[in-house]
Every structure is written in structure tokens, then in C-alpha cells.
Amino acid sequence: MKRTFHLPLYLPLLVGSLAALSGCSSMHHDTSAPKASPTDGQALVQLGPRPYFLINDMDEGSLKQSLQACESKPVTSSTFSIGHRGAPMQFPEHTRESYIAAARMGAGVVECDVAFTKDKQLVCRHAQNDLHTTTNIVAVPELNAKCTKPFTPANPVTGQKAEAECRTSDITLAEFKSLKGKMDAFNPEATTPEEYLGGTADWRTDLYSTNGTLLSHRESIELLKELGVQFTPELKTPVVDMPFEGNYTQQDYARQMINEYRQAGVNPSDVWPQSFLLEDVIFWVNETPEFGKQAVFLDEDDHSPENVSLEYMEKLVQQGVPVLAPAIWKMLTLNSNNDIVPSEYALNAKAAGLDLIGWSLERSGPLNSGGGWYYQSVTDAINNDGDMFTVIDVLAQEVGVIGIFSDWPATTTYYANCMGI
């Protein structure tokens, strides 16, 4: 589904910030939380000021000129632009509000990381054991008490830091739904549960954390259907022993996730199931081949002679893996001129016939000091926020990725529209 909006040159600075950050329509101001409706899938794409800020920050050159020339082009949603956990650079991840924000920024695909509850229901959380940093659970006494490790305050005398570990599998779906989503952070110096909820990075914001509506996996499917976007659910690797409670196996878990798309009547061509476990991907390829055609094998392992080789990539293809999704640093390296170019890993993956997806842009904060973990292979070439577009361009034009995850999808949406992807 395409959503078109003509962006005159002045519009991003005048109304883009209000539109993209608050989730409000550019036609009126609405301070309430974004609400989906059957017409939301046809909503205007609202890029806000960030893509233009990044372009202005770029080094001078032909890419910057090309991107500047697109400032008044019509903009539509693109499956090249993937909402990583929604739009969590500023909205609480895996919440209704975050997903709507991502769709309104033109993400054609939105991610629900899938974990399971104590009553074996599927929910959207980045990890099975992150409720203490992504929700208000430690400040809800009756639920904090059920955590694997309830909140323990910091002790300034001994230097002991505040601690907690709360898992989706510690509580039921109904209890999970009673929580509020917040920015992924915690305050290690906290002496009270309320203080522990702080710690948000200074380059993010808590302005949009007031309505963090948590979702079951089924609810995310219905919402994303209304928004007119595709789905990329990630089956999160459990932190509990499997089978869970003696009878819930990893295959049960993997099968349940796919079955919820079947039950919702979703076309398999709109679903990109993901996992860091190769066994999950092979299971989908063999047991649910209609969904396995777009199964995604996630990879964050350090490079080794074995796992960058053409032989390794060809073995993945032989096992039926259609899509490989590495961290973006794995697909990039520097040449003798300090230019960002495709890595041996990326070249071998493409030579073997694998489709590639990269993750995750706009997760590292400002890039003026090398970009951190996500840019570790090209750190010496990263010194300003505008370098993000250089990275996108190499991934798109030289590596040939079919999509890029971003914590702020407006950036990848802008690039995709500008370059006709």
C-alpha cells in the first residue's frame, strides 16, 4: 500500500517535527496518543526534520547533492525502510505508539520481537528478560514480586548497584498487558523503584513515554494490518530452559508464531519471520514453506575465516536460508583510501545468492565519535551524523541490501524515495 505526500522544501522545518514526533496529522494538532483506524494505512507519510538535518551534516559531494535534490519529491512508504521495534529512538519500543510512528514515517515493514508469557501467550518484547528496563514493572509491587529477580536498590555505602530481572515468562498475558512501556533504560544508582525507571540516554527523550501501550503478538498483527505495512516478527531466543515448564518446546514456540499469522489471514508474502537461531529458520523453511520463503537468519557473530567464506554462505543456501540479516558493520569495511566499501562477508553472501537485510541504523546516538558497535568495521570513516547516509548508500548501491532496520524510519524512507528503491 502506498501513501503519498508532496513535501515542499519548507515543510519539514515548519511542521515535520510536530507531525513525526507527536504522531499527529499535519492537518491538525492532537495531543492524545496516536490511534489507529482503518484509514491509517492510507495516512500521509511524515518525515519530519531529521533526514534534512542529516543531509545538511554530510560531507560535500555527489551523494549529498543527490539527496538535496530530492527535498521536494513525493514520498511514499517503502519496504526498504524497516521499523526496528517501531521507532524507538524516541518512542518506547514495541508499543502501539512506536509502531504507529514508524508507519507514519513510511516504514513499509515493522518489527515485533516475539517472546512468551507464563501462560504461553506471545507478546512483543525485544527480549524475554527486559521488562525491568522497558516497562514500569518494578514500580508495581505485586508484579515486581513475581520477577526472577525483584528490584534491589543501590547501596551507596558498599557501592552495590541497583538490580532487577523481570521476564515475560514470570507473568501472565493479562499481567503483561497491565504494564506501561517506557524507553529502554535504567538508573543503576536508584534507591527506589521509581528512580530505577530513569536513565534514558540524553540523545533520546521521555516526551513520548506517557502512553506506552504494550501489545500481544496478535494485537500487533491487527494493528499493522490496519496500518497497511508488512510484518517482520523475530522469535526471541529464550532465556529459560526449553521445553518451558516441561512441555512447551522451541518448535511449539516457532510454530505458534507462524500460526498467529495464519489465523489472522495474513498473506505469507507479507511476513518476514526472523531468528538468531539457524534451527528456527530451517524449521520454518521445512514445516511452513509458504512462510519460510522469506525467513531471515540474523547474524551478529564476530568474523572468522569460516563464517565469512563463500563455502559458509553456500551452505546456508543449501539448507534453505533465503535471507541473511547481519549487523551493518559485518557488511562493510574500508579500502586503502579509507572509503566505506562492501566487506568480504557481504560479497560472498551475494555471490551465494542470499538476500541481505541490515540492522540497525540510528541506534548508536550521535556519530561524531565513530558510531560505536554498529559501525565498528568503519569507525575511522565515521565522524558526523551525515555519514549515516553514506553507510545507507553503500549498503543499498554496492552491497545490494533489500532493506535496512532503523530506529527512526524517516531516514531510510527518505533515501528509498530519493533513489527510487
Side-chain angles (χ1 to χ4, degrees):
M1 181 175 297
K2 297 204 171 193
R3 294 162 283 188
T4 304
F5 189 29
H6 186 70
L7 288 174
L9 206 55
Y10 60 83
L11 185 60
L13 296 178
L14 292 180
V15 302
S17 179
L18 288 172
L21 296 183
S22 69
C24 300
S25 166
S26 61
M27 300 300 292
H28 66 282
H29 297 293
D30 179 3
T31 57
S32 63
K35 295 180 175 63
S37 72
T39 60
D40 273 321
Q42 302 165 7
L44 302 179
V45 172
Q46 301 161 341
L47 296 183
R50 182 163 173 77
Y52 308 89
F53 166 79
L54 296 176
I55 293 167
N56 289 336
D57 198 43
M58 291 177 69
D59 297 333
E60 296 301 325
S62 59
L63 178 60
K64 181 174 183 175
Q65 293 171 3
S66 296
L67 292 170
Q68 287 175 326
C70 294
E71 287 184 338
S72 59
K73 279 190 64 174
V75 178
T76 62
S77 63
S78 171
T79 56
F80 180 82
S81 179
I82 305 173
H84 180 237
R85 317 184 198 182
M89 188 169 74
Q90 299 208 6
F91 287 83
E93 65 185 47
H94 293 307
T95 60
R96 177 184 180 87
E97 295 75 20
S98 188
Y99 291 164
I100 292 174
R104 287 180 173 171
M105 283 187 266
V109 186
V110 176
E111 178 186 48
C112 166
D113 288 327
V114 177
F116 58 84
T117 60
K118 185 174 181 60
D119 50 349
K120 304 181 185 67
Q121 299 300 305
L122 302 184
V123 295
C124 297
R125 276 301 91 191
H126 174 65
Q128 189 180 37
N129 61 337
D130 73 1
L131 293 183
H132 51 290
T133 65
T134 65
T135 76
N136 64 331
I137 190 169
V138 299
V140 182
E142 62 273 21
L143 297 184
N144 175 62
K146 297 184 177 185
C147 290
T148 296
K149 182 169 186 171
F151 169 72
T152 302
N155 188 328
V157 176
T158 65
Q160 178 68 37
K161 302 298 185 182
E163 294 182 322
E165 184 185 353
C166 302
R167 302 174 177 176
T168 58
S169 54
D170 290 334
I171 59 177
T172 66
L173 174 61
E175 290 168 334
F176 173 85
K177 287 282 294 168
S178 73
L179 298 172
K180 292 293 185 181
K182 71 177 196 68
M183 297 301 287
D184 185 10
F186 71 99
N187 176 5
E189 308 300 329
T191 58
T192 68
E194 290 72 23
E195 289 178 352
Y196 189 80
L197 300 180
T200 299
D202 58 9
W203 48 272
R204 290 180 172 165
T205 183
D206 287 314
L207 287 174
Y208 306 102
S209 297
T210 55
N211 293 295
T213 308
L214 302 194
L215 297 171
S216 70
H217 180 233
R218 291 181 185 275
E219 288 171 329
S220 79
I221 293 172
E222 292 308 313
L223 173 61
L224 298 181
K225 282 172 65 176
E226 290 180 14
L227 293 171
V229 302
Q230 294 184 15
F231 314 80
T232 185
E234 180 190 333
L235 196 74
K236 299 307 298 188
T237 303
V239 298
V240 296
D241 292 335
M242 300 294 279
F244 177 62
E245 296 189 341
N247 60 5
Y248 186 64
T249 67
Q250 183 70 21
Q251 290 191 347
D252 291 335
Y253 179 32
R255 184 182 297 113
Q256 181 180 359
M257 189 183 85
I258 296 299
N259 282 342
E260 293 195 351
Y261 289 94
R262 286 175 166 159
Q263 293 159 5
V266 175
N267 190 319
S269 65
D270 289 335
V271 184
W272 303 78
Q274 316 167 71
S275 179
F276 278 100
L277 299 181
L278 181 58
E279 294 80 5
D280 291 337
V281 175
I282 294 173
F283 174 78
W284 291 323
V285 167
N286 293 328
E287 178 163 304
T288 60
E290 70 276 28
F291 288 90
K293 290 178 182 178
Q294 294 182 158
V296 180
F297 177 39
L298 299 161
D299 182 15
E300 62 180 349
D301 290 343
D302 290 339
H303 285 325
S304 71
E306 291 75 26
N307 68 19
V308 304
S309 68
L310 179 60
E311 180 183 9
Y312 173 77
M313 302 299 176
E314 289 175 337
K315 185 176 180 181
L316 291 179
V317 173
Q318 290 165 7
Q319 294 176 93
V321 176
V323 185
L324 180 62
I328 57 178
W329 69 264
K330 293 176 66 68
M331 293 184 282
L332 304 174
T333 191
L334 298 176
N335 65 15
S336 57
N337 295 321
N338 218 38
D339 298 321
I340 300 174
V341 296
S343 67
E344 178 185 4
Y345 175 101
L347 294 173
N348 284 335
K350 293 298 291 184
L354 288 161
D355 283 330
L356 292 170
I357 292 173
W359 53 272
S360 295
L361 289 171
E362 298 175 286
R363 188 144 191 88
S364 297
L367 303 187
N368 57 7
S369 58
W373 188 86
Y374 290 92
Y375 301 85
Q376 60 187 275
S377 61
V378 294
T379 294
D380 290 345
I382 303 293
N383 58 28
N384 61 57
D385 285 339
D387 287 331
M388 197 173 305
F389 271 119
T390 304
V391 167
I392 296 172
D393 191 61
V394 174
L395 289 173
Q397 306 301 333
E398 299 183 47
V399 174
V401 300
I402 62 173
I404 299 177
F405 283 90
S406 175
D407 279 21
W408 200 246
T411 304
T412 41
T413 299
Y414 184 102
Y415 181 90
N417 277 267
C418 185
M419 299 301 177
I421 300 176

